[in-house]
Amino acid sequence: MALPLLAFTCLLLVTLGYAGMCAAVPFKDCRHCRGFGFAMRTDRKGRTKRGKDCRKCRATGKRIRVGRHLWNLWRGVHRAGTR
């Protein structure tokens, strides 16, 4: 009986922690460009230089978290349904 209760408590803490993170910091660094907003390239001498703009984050370097995106979708549906 104690093991399922412990598992439920851990799952609840992780879920509430992620919800708090989505509320406090809704954007995170883009995984594709690592927050730069563009790809890093090297020239023939091996020096790094700026590449093309990142298409995933549209050159901002930030992407919205999955939980925050789902929250925004739910809020939009709720607002449309209560008008």
Side-chain angles (χ1 to χ4, degrees):
M1 193 68 156
L3 189 60
L5 183 62
L6 180 65
F8 176 74
T9 305
C10 288
L11 184 64
L12 184 66
L13 285 175
V14 168
T15 304
L16 290 176
Y18 183 70
M21 180 66 77
C22 288
V25 186
F27 295 97
K28 65 178 180 176
D29 288 341
C30 178
R31 290 183 307 218
H32 187 72
C33 64
R34 297 186 194 107
F36 285 120
F38 52 86
M40 296 298 289
R41 304 186 111 192
T42 56
D43 60 2
R44 290 187 290 174
K45 293 182 181 179
R47 294 181 296 208
T48 59
K49 56 188 271 188
R50 189 181 197 280
K52 292 182 179 179
D53 289 343
C54 180
R55 295 186 329 187
K56 297 205 182 252
C57 65
R58 297 187 182 129
T60 61
K62 298 290 183 184
R63 293 185 72 184
I64 194 162
R65 292 182 189 271
V66 175
R68 184 61 181 218
H69 179 70
L70 293 174
W71 174 260
N72 290 346
L73 288 176
W74 180 79
R75 289 295 301 158
V77 169
H78 179 71
R79 268 192 220 113
T82 56
R83 285 187 185 159

